[in-house]
Amino acid sequence: MKNRFSIFLLFVLVYADIHAQLSTNEKPVSFSFKSKPVETSRLLAKVVMPDLDMAKIEKEDKEDEEMDMPPRFGFTHFVDYDLKNSGVWYRLPNGDKLWQLNVICPGALSINFCYDKFWIPQGGKLFIYSTDKKQYIGAFTSKNNKGDRENLRGFATGLIYGSDVMLEYYQPKEVAEDAIISIDYVVHGYKYIPIEYKSYGNAGACMVNINCEEGEKWQNDKNAVAKILIDGHRLCSGSLLNSSDLSQKPYFLTADHCIGEYDAVTFPNLDYYTFFWNYEAPGCINDSIEPSYYSTSGATILANNSFSDFALLRLIEDPQYLSNYIPFYLGWDCTGLSGDPGVCIHHPRGDVKKISTVAYQPISTFYGINTENINANHWKVMWASTLNGHGTTEGGSSGSPLFTSEHKVIGQLHGGASNCEGGIWDPDWYGKFNVSWNGNNNDSIQRRLNCWLDSINSGVQTMEGLLVVPESRTMTMNDSLYCNIIIKSTGRLTIRGNIELKGNSSVIVEAGGKLIINGGTLSNGDIILKSGATLRIINGGIIETRNGFEAPIGALVEILNGQIL
């Protein structure tokens, strides 16, 4: 059986305006200079990585494949570069300081960096860019610090394509404290899949884009799914989960084999992990231009257990604060029932987000075993032929969520044999959520899910998803939503269609938030207004509550033309 890893497949033409980490997304300071910051006779410091021994690397990669190891896309050059022992400092005319280091990897298709020590004071800015200035990422600032100056943590930055890149740190004159930026290794990318018209990555031809008809009912759920860049050079998938307290903590579920030798007890810090959000084609057929994505960096392992192959992370950089990203936290079911067949949403081989449809009710078995056993630790899944393909899974899909038809997560991908090249009817196996819930009866909170996802001990066995509305959003479609909704203080939700909330869902409007029913209907939900929240019903709008409605003191309720039932 193969584990679901893959080469990280991104592409040569990548530009910072559509590929942003949690950063200020601005051009490097030096781009505004009309000339070099110092006299032309002074040479910029360069470091050149050794040439790769491709024969040796290919032999190692083949051995990795035979041993079921995750394949590499890049070779790691271990280095010890920091602001003191490498690069050049410049004093600018206005008193500001600028540090630059030019890193060259001969013949590289991409370069990225992992830092064992990373701390930037307020006002400092780090950038990485190609020397032709066509690609850049940053600025990374104090908001990206994982620790403090006395308790340093690591960091990772994304890929720049090509073989010649620049690191640049800018320190304004009023900033007294020096940054600590120490590069642990340089990743020399030796594999990539070039862009082809109508094809971003290397996923099999049977795969179905998330924005095809098959994904119409999964448009909220898809936002919870991300791909993971592991230690700068490997790949998995995973998803945000809701918790019973609706706290919006960035809990993230993936597979235990996606964290390798890391462990919740002995080695929990995933400082070199990067999470990519919104990486999807806008339609069913890929455009010729690669779509946008946004990324966050760093996580801590809260719990993991190899028995059901799960790992629960808490993301350090919260994707809720990314621009152009609508947070969603998936619901779950820990009853041990398979439910009616649903889907899997994943990033096969690092490609844009895909959806695969479950053909039959999942069967309880042990991993790699076909024989049904109700006490087993995995779900065996077969995939269905649909309108736009016959989605399966591939390397890079590991850790992705398995849904029931009611949008509940019941497991995460461990591995299997399915593929587009003659294996569309081969099975896959998902670690069972109910087994992970109590860690196969393990008493340690670091080996089970329930201590984290139900920290308030509510005893719930099924949980709806959670949709967060931080800005203005309008719902015009007639739809059934398997989720709670929180309208933030800066949010405004207008409902013009007929929306039915499934299960025990609620709409919570925080102080400053607004819920507007404009000619539409919101049914089967509890409406919870906080003091300072606004509810408006206009143009014949209707709210059909599940348990009645009572407005608190300080909330504004305007029923101009409509009713609450």
Tab-separated table of all heavy atoms in Angstrom, residues 412-442:
chain	number	residue	atom	x	y	z
A	412	GLN	N	-9.928	10.624	7.709
A	412	GLN	CA	-8.934	11.297	6.875
A	412	GLN	C	-8.150	10.226	6.115
A	412	GLN	O	-7.957	9.114	6.611
A	412	GLN	CB	-8.003	12.187	7.699
A	412	GLN	CG	-7.021	11.469	8.598
A	412	GLN	CD	-7.676	10.770	9.777
A	412	GLN	OE1	-8.657	11.254	10.330
A	412	GLN	NE2	-7.132	9.613	10.158
A	413	LEU	N	-7.711	10.585	4.902
A	413	LEU	CA	-7.098	9.602	4.005
A	413	LEU	C	-5.770	9.087	4.547
A	413	LEU	O	-4.869	9.864	4.854
A	413	LEU	CB	-6.894	10.213	2.623
A	413	LEU	CG	-6.276	9.272	1.580
A	413	LEU	CD1	-7.174	8.072	1.326
A	413	LEU	CD2	-6.013	10.021	0.280
A	414	HIS	N	-5.673	7.777	4.641
A	414	HIS	CA	-4.430	7.097	5.007
A	414	HIS	C	-3.680	6.670	3.737
A	414	HIS	O	-2.536	7.032	3.519
A	414	HIS	CB	-4.743	5.893	5.887
A	414	HIS	CG	-3.540	5.203	6.443
A	414	HIS	ND1	-3.597	4.322	7.492
A	414	HIS	CD2	-2.220	5.256	6.095
A	414	HIS	CE1	-2.391	3.869	7.780
A	414	HIS	NE2	-1.535	4.414	6.938
A	415	GLY	N	-4.339	5.915	2.869
A	415	GLY	CA	-3.700	5.467	1.641
A	415	GLY	C	-4.587	4.513	0.889
A	415	GLY	O	-5.757	4.325	1.228
A	416	GLY	N	-4.043	3.922	-0.158
A	416	GLY	CA	-4.808	2.972	-0.943
A	416	GLY	C	-4.236	2.786	-2.323
A	416	GLY	O	-3.116	3.198	-2.604
A	417	ALA	N	-5.028	2.212	-3.180
A	417	ALA	CA	-4.536	1.826	-4.503
A	417	ALA	C	-5.218	2.587	-5.629
A	417	ALA	O	-4.858	2.412	-6.795
A	417	ALA	CB	-4.735	0.325	-4.717
A	418	SER	N	-6.205	3.422	-5.356
A	418	SER	CA	-6.944	4.073	-6.439
A	418	SER	C	-6.055	5.042	-7.205
A	418	SER	O	-5.148	5.656	-6.645
A	418	SER	CB	-8.162	4.806	-5.882
A	418	SER	OG	-7.790	6.011	-5.251
A	419	ASN	N	-6.329	5.182	-8.491
A	419	ASN	CA	-5.611	6.132	-9.345
A	419	ASN	C	-6.341	6.225	-10.674
A	419	ASN	O	-7.256	5.442	-10.948
A	419	ASN	CB	-4.155	5.691	-9.549
A	419	ASN	CG	-4.046	4.360	-10.260
A	419	ASN	OD1	-4.113	4.284	-11.482
A	419	ASN	ND2	-3.898	3.280	-9.490
A	420	CYS	N	-5.937	7.172	-11.490
A	420	CYS	CA	-6.590	7.386	-12.783
A	420	CYS	C	-6.071	6.452	-13.868
A	420	CYS	O	-6.698	6.329	-14.924
A	420	CYS	CB	-6.404	8.829	-13.237
A	420	CYS	SG	-7.258	10.047	-12.216
A	421	GLU	N	-4.930	5.830	-13.643
A	421	GLU	CA	-4.295	5.002	-14.660
A	421	GLU	C	-4.611	3.540	-14.403
A	421	GLU	O	-3.761	2.760	-13.968
A	421	GLU	CB	-2.780	5.231	-14.694
A	421	GLU	CG	-2.373	6.618	-15.186
A	421	GLU	CD	-2.589	7.712	-14.153
A	421	GLU	OE1	-2.393	7.460	-12.947
A	421	GLU	OE2	-2.978	8.828	-14.556
A	422	GLY	N	-5.853	3.147	-14.635
A	422	GLY	CA	-6.239	1.760	-14.481
A	422	GLY	C	-6.693	1.372	-13.098
A	422	GLY	O	-6.938	0.184	-12.843
A	423	GLY	N	-6.816	2.343	-12.170
A	423	GLY	CA	-7.188	1.994	-10.806
A	423	GLY	C	-8.403	2.739	-10.293
A	423	GLY	O	-8.526	2.954	-9.082
A	424	ILE	N	-9.323	3.119	-11.185
A	424	ILE	CA	-10.465	3.913	-10.735
A	424	ILE	C	-11.406	3.111	-9.842
A	424	ILE	O	-12.173	3.694	-9.074
A	424	ILE	CB	-11.237	4.519	-11.925
A	424	ILE	CG1	-11.753	3.429	-12.862
A	424	ILE	CG2	-10.375	5.530	-12.673
A	424	ILE	CD1	-12.649	3.968	-13.979
A	425	TRP	N	-11.372	1.786	-9.937
A	425	TRP	CA	-12.229	0.960	-9.094
A	425	TRP	C	-11.462	0.310	-7.948
A	425	TRP	O	-11.993	-0.561	-7.257
A	425	TRP	CB	-12.945	-0.107	-9.934
A	425	TRP	CG	-13.928	0.480	-10.893
A	425	TRP	CD1	-13.843	0.521	-12.249
A	425	TRP	CD2	-15.149	1.137	-10.555
A	425	TRP	NE1	-14.932	1.151	-12.798
A	425	TRP	CE2	-15.756	1.546	-11.773
A	425	TRP	CE3	-15.797	1.429	-9.351
A	425	TRP	CZ2	-16.973	2.225	-11.811
A	425	TRP	CZ3	-17.002	2.111	-9.399
A	425	TRP	CH2	-17.580	2.493	-10.603
A	426	ASP	N	-10.221	0.732	-7.730
A	426	ASP	CA	-9.462	0.226	-6.591
A	426	ASP	C	-9.833	1.017	-5.331
A	426	ASP	O	-10.194	2.198	-5.406
A	426	ASP	CB	-7.969	0.335	-6.850
A	426	ASP	CG	-7.492	-0.662	-7.893
A	426	ASP	OD1	-8.173	-1.695	-8.067
A	426	ASP	OD2	-6.457	-0.412	-8.530
A	427	PRO	N	-9.722	0.407	-4.152
A	427	PRO	CA	-10.170	1.066	-2.919
A	427	PRO	C	-9.109	1.969	-2.285
A	427	PRO	O	-7.916	1.861	-2.567
A	427	PRO	CB	-10.475	-0.113	-1.999
A	427	PRO	CG	-9.498	-1.168	-2.434
A	427	PRO	CD	-9.354	-1.001	-3.929
A	428	ASP	N	-9.596	2.841	-1.419
A	428	ASP	CA	-8.751	3.636	-0.528
A	428	ASP	C	-9.222	3.409	0.905
A	428	ASP	O	-10.344	2.940	1.142
A	428	ASP	CB	-8.832	5.133	-0.867
A	428	ASP	CG	-8.067	5.493	-2.125
A	428	ASP	OD1	-7.000	4.896	-2.358
A	428	ASP	OD2	-8.533	6.359	-2.881
A	429	TRP	N	-8.366	3.781	1.880
A	429	TRP	CA	-8.704	3.612	3.285
A	429	TRP	C	-8.511	4.933	4.051
A	429	TRP	O	-7.520	5.639	3.869
A	429	TRP	CB	-7.838	2.529	3.918
A	429	TRP	CG	-8.314	1.144	3.600
A	429	TRP	CD1	-9.163	0.370	4.339
A	429	TRP	CD2	-7.971	0.356	2.460
A	429	TRP	NE1	-9.386	-0.835	3.732
A	429	TRP	CE2	-8.649	-0.878	2.563
A	429	TRP	CE3	-7.160	0.577	1.343
A	429	TRP	CZ2	-8.554	-1.886	1.619
A	429	TRP	CZ3	-7.051	-0.428	0.390
A	429	TRP	CH2	-7.738	-1.646	0.540
A	430	TYR	N	-9.479	5.224	4.898
A	430	TYR	CA	-9.485	6.433	5.734
A	430	TYR	C	-9.496	6.027	7.205
A	430	TYR	O	-10.302	5.177	7.627
A	430	TYR	CB	-10.728	7.282	5.455
A	430	TYR	CG	-10.699	7.970	4.110
A	430	TYR	CD1	-10.912	7.260	2.940
A	430	TYR	CD2	-10.448	9.333	4.011
A	430	TYR	CE1	-10.879	7.879	1.703
A	430	TYR	CE2	-10.416	9.974	2.772
A	430	TYR	CZ	-10.629	9.232	1.629
A	430	TYR	OH	-10.592	9.863	0.408
A	431	GLY	N	-8.608	6.624	7.989
A	431	GLY	CA	-8.655	6.404	9.428
A	431	GLY	C	-9.981	6.881	9.991
A	431	GLY	O	-10.421	7.998	9.691
A	432	LYS	N	-10.622	6.070	10.816
A	432	LYS	CA	-11.972	6.374	11.292
A	432	LYS	C	-11.958	7.458	12.373
A	432	LYS	O	-11.196	7.384	13.341
A	432	LYS	CB	-12.636	5.105	11.817
A	432	LYS	CG	-12.934	4.086	10.733
A	432	LYS	CD	-13.404	2.750	11.299
A	432	LYS	CE	-14.785	2.842	11.892
A	432	LYS	NZ	-15.281	1.493	12.276
A	433	PHE	N	-12.840	8.430	12.206
A	433	PHE	CA	-12.927	9.558	13.123
A	433	PHE	C	-13.338	9.100	14.517
A	433	PHE	O	-12.821	9.608	15.525
A	433	PHE	CB	-13.932	10.582	12.585
A	433	PHE	CG	-13.840	11.938	13.220
A	433	PHE	CD1	-13.020	12.925	12.687
A	433	PHE	CD2	-14.585	12.244	14.346
A	433	PHE	CE1	-12.937	14.180	13.266
A	433	PHE	CE2	-14.516	13.489	14.935
A	433	PHE	CZ	-13.689	14.470	14.392
A	434	ASN	N	-14.249	8.129	14.602
A	434	ASN	CA	-14.698	7.688	15.923
A	434	ASN	C	-13.605	6.953	16.686
A	434	ASN	O	-13.544	7.000	17.918
A	434	ASN	CB	-15.938	6.804	15.785
A	434	ASN	CG	-15.645	5.468	15.109
A	434	ASN	OD1	-15.227	5.452	13.947
A	434	ASN	ND2	-15.850	4.370	15.817
A	435	VAL	N	-12.688	6.286	15.970
A	435	VAL	CA	-11.549	5.639	16.627
A	435	VAL	C	-10.561	6.702	17.102
A	435	VAL	O	-10.006	6.623	18.209
A	435	VAL	CB	-10.871	4.633	15.680
A	435	VAL	CG1	-9.624	4.036	16.317
A	435	VAL	CG2	-11.851	3.522	15.292
A	436	SER	N	-10.353	7.727	16.268
A	436	SER	CA	-9.469	8.833	16.658
A	436	SER	C	-10.060	9.625	17.817
A	436	SER	O	-9.315	10.229	18.604
A	436	SER	CB	-9.252	9.771	15.465
A	436	SER	OG	-8.754	9.095	14.341
A	437	TRP	N	-11.385	9.630	17.923
A	437	TRP	CA	-12.069	10.433	18.950
A	437	TRP	C	-11.555	10.102	20.347
A	437	TRP	O	-11.256	11.005	21.133
A	437	TRP	CB	-13.575	10.197	18.857
A	437	TRP	CG	-14.399	11.096	19.706
A	437	TRP	CD1	-15.097	10.771	20.840
A	437	TRP	CD2	-14.615	12.500	19.499
A	437	TRP	NE1	-15.733	11.875	21.346
A	437	TRP	CE2	-15.462	12.950	20.541
A	437	TRP	CE3	-14.189	13.402	18.538
A	437	TRP	CZ2	-15.879	14.277	20.646
A	437	TRP	CZ3	-14.602	14.734	18.634
A	437	TRP	CH2	-15.433	15.152	19.682
A	438	ASN	N	-11.438	8.817	20.655
A	438	ASN	CA	-10.901	8.439	21.975
A	438	ASN	C	-9.528	7.803	21.889
A	438	ASN	O	-9.043	7.201	22.848
A	438	ASN	CB	-11.876	7.510	22.709
A	438	ASN	CG	-12.072	6.182	22.002
A	438	ASN	OD1	-11.349	5.869	21.060
A	438	ASN	ND2	-13.051	5.418	22.462
A	439	GLY	N	-8.882	7.942	20.711
A	439	GLY	CA	-7.510	7.451	20.549
A	439	GLY	C	-7.364	5.966	20.742
A	439	GLY	O	-6.335	5.516	21.253
A	440	ASN	N	-8.401	5.197	20.346
A	440	ASN	CA	-8.379	3.753	20.586
A	440	ASN	C	-8.225	3.478	22.081
A	440	ASN	O	-7.432	2.654	22.511
A	440	ASN	CB	-7.261	3.067	19.799
A	440	ASN	CG	-7.392	1.555	19.798
A	440	ASN	OD1	-8.495	1.028	19.778
A	440	ASN	ND2	-6.260	0.865	19.826
A	441	ASN	N	-9.024	4.265	22.863
A	441	ASN	CA	-9.065	4.141	24.325
A	441	ASN	C	-7.738	4.505	24.990
A	441	ASN	O	-7.387	3.975	26.051
A	441	ASN	CB	-9.473	2.720	24.735
A	441	ASN	CG	-10.867	2.364	24.265
A	441	ASN	OD1	-11.797	3.164	24.404
A	441	ASN	ND2	-11.020	1.187	23.683
A	442	ASN	N	-7.021	5.431	24.386
A	442	ASN	CA	-5.784	5.948	24.983
A	442	ASN	C	-6.133	7.102	25.925
A	442	ASN	O	-6.871	8.019	25.559
A	442	ASN	CB	-4.850	6.421	23.871
A	442	ASN	CG	-3.438	6.677	24.368
A	442	ASN	OD1	-3.232	7.384	25.349
A	442	ASN	ND2	-2.463	6.096	23.686
